Amino acid sequence: MVAVYERTYQNATKVTRKANPFGFDPIFAALSKAAAITVLVLLAGIMASMIYGGWPAFREFGFGFLTGTQWDTMNDRYGGLPAIVGTLSTALIAMVIGVPLSIGTAIYLTQLAPAWFKRPVGTAVELLAAVPSIIYGMWGLFVFVPLFAAYFQVPVSQVVEGMPIVGTILYARSPSGLGILSAGIILAFMIVPFIASLTRDMLDQIPTVLRESAYGIGCTTWEVVRHVLLPQAGVSIVGAVMLGLGRALGETMAVTFVIGNANRLSASIMDPGSTIASRIASEFNEALGMQMNALIGLGCVLFFVTFVVLVIARILVSRVKQY
Amino acid sequence: MSDTTANAAPQGQVKWGRVRQSRRISDKVLRVFATVSTMLAVFVLFWILGMLIWKGGQGISLDLFTKITPGPGTAGGGLLNAIVGSIVLTFLGIAIATPIGVMAGTYLAEYGKGSKLADLVRFINDILLSAPSILIGLFVYVILVMPFRGYSGWAGSIALAIIALPVIVRTTEDMLRLVPNSLREAGAALGAPPSIVIRQISWRAAKAGIVTGILLALARIAGETAPLLFTALNNSFWFNWNLTGGISNLPVTIYAFASAPYDNWQQLAWAGALLITAAILALSIGARSLLNRK
């Protein structure tokens, strides 16, 4: 009996073994690995193509490509400083305005909102994050910019005119509403829902016990947020903010609509300017020869700046405390 | 609550009244600030939607869906070619990204657990997820448009596919990780090889989640403009299924028409913006409800 059983068992294993080495299994495994490697190849390809396309410009202008302020298509002299400064300053304005608002929104959604209100408001915030950037651009150009010009730029310019420092930074030579500050404000509106929903998810992960024990010894909401929630979520909120920064740096369409696309360096944030992305979007299709290389070179600068920001962001976000 | 704590421990020279007041004020400030910032976000959403419906709604007519984009200075016209072009580009992009994305997500969740390669791919995928979309347009321009000397529908849909890919990889992996291991073990115990376990058990269990990811990717790329500017470009002719030439699409048409000096172009841009936003919000809501139903 035992012998018969063993023989059948061995036969059975033999049959399956025969089918295995040439079966679908190894192919499937190889396919899935190849798909995963595609992701790596894509990022490497983006990096390589930016360096390849921008190389003539780097070679021609050297370090001056980063520090030059001329963008002269007639004489083929290109310097990226105005666009680089524009990118950094719009992103900075967006962060200064957007970060407090997004953390406030996340706190409201997790701590203050009544239960029945949480879901609709949370969904609304997430939908705001899904609105495409060209829509923000149109809203910015046709709705926000005229209001901004009439009710902020004109009065503020009148007040600050002639003042030292403030008069330089906030004075609008031509109060059209377009400019670095308007672009920064639109960017802030775009990153708020993004950072807020990430931060909300992080605050939600903190065990309720921690929060309840703090309330239990008589802490106010502010004290719970300041001494319990923020220290607990700490680093990962910084990560979420950095992700928002990565977004603000590379945002194209909305900025292109409202920044005014001026190619000079201005001390005032009310004046039109340009960012790397808006410069590429508005000039690339008409660009030839060195101008195109210079634009791809700017793209290369943008790539490395966002790459560093995003790497730091991901490392910080992945350090979320596990409970 | 704060009153009782403060009153219960009156000691030394601490001025409890002042402490109580400052605690009350800091709390009030936080509450007001958090509420106001949330209301501001919701207000902006409704402002944008309201403006789209008000300005775009006037342009919704039968012509919009039956006539092609008008030339400069020509009256009337619709968005038919742009709508069809956008649908083709978007679905082609998803069709390219879905198999690669689902397989890559499967590798991360099923095969590559704990491997160095999987950790690297996951990290790089997250970077790609937030990479500026205009750089993806430049990349496709350098590898596809420059060597073949021409804008093409293929280049546009590949650019969109590169944007959709990381979204699909990420959601597929997350959803497969939610499938309990006991299911896989039960399949393996029946003698099923890994590929069968994955296809018949893991994928089937995670189906709703994976479809959600694909819908979210669709919503993400439907409104992307920057990567199409120098890949698919645009044309104002009737759509002819020729993917080797420039192809008209909604986002680039909106971009070109919005700041144009012709009234009917601006009207079309608003109508197009309304269509695209409605489609994207419907997709996002659909994806969300699909996920919540489980």
Side-chain angles (χ1 to χ4, degrees), chain B residues 91-237:
Chain B
F91 278 90
L92 206 57
I94 282 292
I96 297 169
T98 299
I100 304 176
V102 170
M103 288 304 275
T106 307
Y107 176 80
L108 295 181
E110 304 274 345
Y111 288 107
K113 268 181 201 158
S115 80
K116 283 249 158 56
L117 176 68
D119 288 343
L120 182 67
V121 171
R122 196 172 295 123
F123 192 77
I124 295 297
N125 188 65
D126 280 348
I127 304 273
L128 206 55
L129 191 66
S130 358
S133 59
I134 190 155
L135 293 183
I136 298 192
L138 275 187
F139 166 63
V140 173
Y141 181 87
V142 171
I143 62 159
L144 284 177
V145 179
M146 221 149 66
F148 297 109
R149 299 189 183 286
Y151 302 102
S152 71
W154 283 113
S157 50
I158 286 171
L160 292 181
I162 297 175
I163 294 167
L165 180 70
V167 182
I168 300 178
V169 173
R170 181 69 189 268
T171 39
T172 305
E173 191 204 350
D174 288 351
M175 293 306 151
L176 285 177
R177 278 175 183 276
L178 292 178
V179 176
N181 253 334
S182 52
L183 282 181
R184 294 193 184 95
E185 282 160 6
L190 289 173
S195 69
I196 304 275
V197 171
I198 289 168
R199 279 179 301 149
Q200 308 269 333
I201 296 171
S202 304
W203 280 3
R204 211 173 268 191
K207 201 163 144 198
I210 295 176
V211 172
T212 308
I214 295 170
L215 287 181
L216 287 178
L218 203 57
R220 168 91 197 264
I221 64 174
E224 280 290 354
T225 318
L228 292 178
L229 281 176
F230 357 104
T231 54
L233 197 67
N234 212 344
N235 74 37
S236 44
F237 309 113

Side-chain angles (χ1 to χ4, degrees), chain A residues 102-115:
Chain A
S102 25
I103 293 180
T105 306
I107 290 170
Y108 180 82
L109 286 176
T110 51
Q111 315 297 323
L112 302 174

Side-chain angles (χ1 to χ4, degrees), chain B residues 236-253:
Chain B
S236 44
F237 309 113
W238 167 233
F239 182 73
N240 57 3
W241 294 103
N242 183 7
L243 289 172
T244 52
I247 186 170
S248 56
N249 56 84
L250 267 181
V252 178
T253 307

